[in-house]
Amino acid sequence: MNNNNVLVVFIYFNKLNIIERNEFKQLIYSSGFNIKKMLEINIRYPNKKYFLGLGKIYELNLIIKKFNFKKLIINLVLKSTQEYNLKNILKCSILNRTFIILNIFKKRANTNYAKLQVELAYLNYLSTRLIRRWSHLERQRGGVKFISGPGEKQIEIDRRIIKKRIKTINNSIYKISNQKNKNIELRDRYNVPVISLVGYTNSGKSTLFNLLTNSNFKLCKGYFSTLDTYVRRINKFKFYSNVLLSDTIGFIHNLPNSIKYAFKSTLKEICYSKLILHIIDSSNLYFLECINTVNYILDDININNIPVIQVMNKIDKLKNFEIKIDLNNLNFPIRIWISAKYNFGIDFLYDIINFYLFSDRKKYLIYVPSNLSILLRNILYKKKIFFKEWSNNGKNYYFSIFMSNYSFKNLFKKYSFIKKYLIKNYE
């Protein structure tokens, strides 16, 4: 029998949640397993020893023997003792939802930073599940030859090794995070706005990222195609200044705490954005629940009143789709309906981004002789003002400046000579 064929048990209490069930199935497929058989089990009270009742365990045992299953996947995370007892009685490996997610992360991680975060999440998960995992838990002799007495239990050795490795990984992540923070400070110093893409996993974030930045990152089928935070410049000619776009990890219902902790530095990068694009799969029948999940995580990381635009993606999958912008509904932020795959509505998206980032700014054109060009250039660099510079004859220079009217008036006050060479200003 194919080792990838698995028996899946979806446990629920009182009422079946179809969204969570469907999501769990997609997680399993994304992890590389094939669901040969799936059981939905409704329980009132978990059994202290096995979590499941003996009747259900007997039923599972018959199915496992009949199809010769080597792996059983459960949607819940059982206590380590319950998992151990269940494994012994069913004679097959027990995998849970957290392990499945970590398995997907391991496949998707490309950069060293992402690999470290995945390993940290796995070790944090494993550190809580060491009880009775090995059969060699007897005490071992320790010390030098002539000193007798009990040494450490194997479980204590493993726990110590894991703790040491977690410390090493945390140090490495801290160093990389420091470098990322320096990059953030550099962008802020030169007033380079960053837009973050957030959204439920498989909503089309990476497709939109590739489109807006002319990138060609590989798109994976299934959940969590992006684990690394990619930052690229958006098409320069669309905006008055450089704008960076950041793609982040996708969200799901009940993201395990071990994963939240490992990826907290990645999620925190969203807090330094000037604008958030919340990407939503409009073809998903349960997209409202997905929106609530994303909003909950954004609230959890405290985005500090960063404006959010809801981007309703994949409208090409709707029967009667329409490219439109919803402005007047007070129950949700501005919504724009697009298709990143077919480039529908992208120009409207550019217009909205321009409005949010640059609505208070104007262009100013200054024409100075060459002897003043160096002085003006140094002033603009010192003030961290975005500008473009060119010359037609090498004797006189044009400076195209993009800034708010308030900032420009302050510039006039301090450097009054600039007003003499201002030849044009327009929105």
Side-chain angles (χ1 to χ4, degrees), residues 24-188:
F24 186 54
K25 290 170 68 175
Q26 288 300 320
L27 284 171
I28 293 170
Y29 288 130
S30 298
S31 185
F33 293 111
N34 179 42
I35 301 175
K36 188 71 176 177
K37 191 171 182 60
M38 183 171 183
L39 294 181
E40 296 170 1
I41 299 177
N42 181 15
I43 64 174
R44 290 186 178 182
Y45 305 102
N47 183 290
K48 290 184 179 180
K49 188 173 182 180
Y50 300 107
F51 195 87
L52 296 174
L54 294 178
K56 288 297 179 183
I57 292 176
Y58 178 75
E59 182 183 347
L60 287 174
N61 211 4
L62 292 178
I63 295 173
I64 290 170
K65 288 180 179 179
K66 180 180 178 181
F67 293 96
N68 194 26
F69 285 118
K70 301 298 181 183
K71 295 183 179 68
L72 169 68
I73 301 179
I74 300 178
N75 63 307
L76 301 179
V77 179
L78 310 185
K79 292 180 180 179
S80 54
T81 51
Q82 291 172 332
E83 188 177 300
Y84 177 82
N85 294 334
L86 203 57
K87 176 183 175 182
N88 281 347
I89 199 170
L90 295 176
K91 307 299 181 185
C92 71
S93 299
I94 307 292
L95 307 179
N96 59 42
R97 183 174 179 271
T98 301
F99 181 87
I100 294 298
I101 295 173
L102 289 171
N103 195 41
I104 299 172
F105 277 24
K106 184 179 179 181
K107 291 182 178 181
R108 302 285 197 256
N110 294 317
T111 65
N112 181 50
Y113 188 49
K115 290 176 181 177
L116 286 172
Q117 288 175 305
V118 172
E119 186 180 355
L120 178 62
Y122 178 73
L123 291 175
N124 283 326
Y125 161 76
L126 186 63
S127 63
T128 63
R129 315 192 66 77
L130 292 177
I131 299 174
R132 305 179 72 179
R133 188 163 286 271
W134 292 271
S135 59
H136 52 279
L137 298 184
E138 70 279 355
R139 288 190 172 269
Q140 303 175 8
R141 293 214 171 267
V144 290
K145 294 179 183 178
F146 51 84
I147 299 179
S148 60
E152 291 180 295
K153 287 183 178 179
Q154 183 62 41
I155 190 172
E156 293 167 347
I157 295 173
D158 293 321
R159 187 176 285 120
R160 181 162 48 83
I161 292 171
I162 289 175
K163 188 176 180 180
K164 185 178 179 181
R165 179 59 183 160
I166 287 175
K167 184 178 180 180
T168 302
I169 294 173
N170 275 325
N171 289 337
S172 298
I173 289 177
Y174 178 76
K175 290 178 182 177
I176 298 173
S177 297
N178 274 349
Q179 183 58 49
K180 285 179 173 288
N181 289 335
K182 289 179 182 177
N183 292 338
I184 291 170
E185 290 174 4
L186 197 61
R187 293 168 198 156
D188 190 55

Side-chain angles (χ1 to χ4, degrees), residues 114-303:
K115 290 176 181 177
L116 286 172
Q117 288 175 305
V118 172
E119 186 180 355
L120 178 62
Y122 178 73
L123 291 175
N124 283 326
Y125 161 76
L126 186 63
S127 63
T128 63
R129 315 192 66 77
L130 292 177
I131 299 174
R132 305 179 72 179
R133 188 163 286 271
W134 292 271
S135 59
H136 52 279
L137 298 184
E138 70 279 355
R139 288 190 172 269
Q140 303 175 8
R141 293 214 171 267
V144 290
K145 294 179 183 178
F146 51 84
I147 299 179
S148 60
E152 291 180 295
K153 287 183 178 179
Q154 183 62 41
I155 190 172
E156 293 167 347
I157 295 173
D158 293 321
R159 187 176 285 120
R160 181 162 48 83
I161 292 171
I162 289 175
K163 188 176 180 180
K164 185 178 179 181
R165 179 59 183 160
I166 287 175
K167 184 178 180 180
T168 302
I169 294 173
N170 275 325
N171 289 337
S172 298
I173 289 177
Y174 178 76
K175 290 178 182 177
I176 298 173
S177 297
N178 274 349
Q179 183 58 49
K180 285 179 173 288
N181 289 335
K182 289 179 182 177
N183 292 338
I184 291 170
E185 290 174 4
L186 197 61
R187 293 168 198 156
D188 190 55
R189 184 186 305 171
Y190 290 100
N191 294 316
V192 180
V194 178
I195 302 171
S196 286
L197 297 180
V198 302
Y200 203 81
T201 185
N202 206 33
S203 60
K205 293 189 295 86
S206 297
T207 303
L208 183 62
F209 182 84
N210 282 343
L211 177 65
L212 297 183
T213 62
N214 287 333
S215 302
N216 56 355
F217 288 109
K218 186 178 178 182
L219 304 177
C220 302
K221 291 183 178 180
Y223 285 2
F224 302 113
S225 63
T226 301
L227 286 187
D228 310 282
T229 300
Y230 296 110
V231 180
R232 295 291 185 274
R233 188 173 62 185
I234 298 180
N235 294 335
K236 194 172 182 180
F237 64 92
K238 295 292 183 182
F239 301 110
Y240 297 123
S241 71
N242 291 327
V243 178
L244 299 179
L245 188 67
S246 172
D247 191 11
T248 58
I249 182 176
F251 302 152
I252 60 168
H253 291 289
N254 301 321
L255 193 66
N257 289 329
S258 59
I259 294 174
K260 279 185 184 179
Y261 174 79
F263 284 82
K264 66 178 180 179
S265 56
T266 296
L267 295 174
K268 273 293 180 183
E269 290 186 37
I270 300 171
C271 298
Y272 299 99
S273 308
K274 299 296 183 183
L275 180 65
I276 293 174
L277 299 183
H278 179 178
I279 315 303
I280 301 158
D281 180 0
S282 61
S283 65
N284 186 342
L285 295 175
Y286 308 103
F287 73 81
L288 289 176
E289 285 79 1
C290 296
I291 290 174
N292 291 334
T293 296
V294 174
N295 288 341
Y296 176 79
I297 296 175
L298 290 178
D299 290 339
D300 192 40
I301 62 175
N302 192 13
I303 60 172

Side-chain angles (χ1 to χ4, degrees), residues 236-237 239-241 358 360-366 386-388 390 399-405 408 422-427:
K236 194 172 182 180
F237 64 92
F239 301 110
Y240 297 123
S241 71
F358 308 116
D360 65 332
R361 301 190 190 185
K362 296 179 180 178
K363 265 188 178 181
Y364 299 88
L365 190 62
I366 301 173
F386 178 83
F387 68 93
K388 293 180 182 178
W390 70 92
F399 285 82
S400 177
I401 302 173
F402 184 67
M403 61 193 305
S404 68
N405 187 44
F408 196 66
L422 177 65
I423 62 173
K424 189 177 182 182
N425 70 299
Y426 55 95
E427 293 186 4

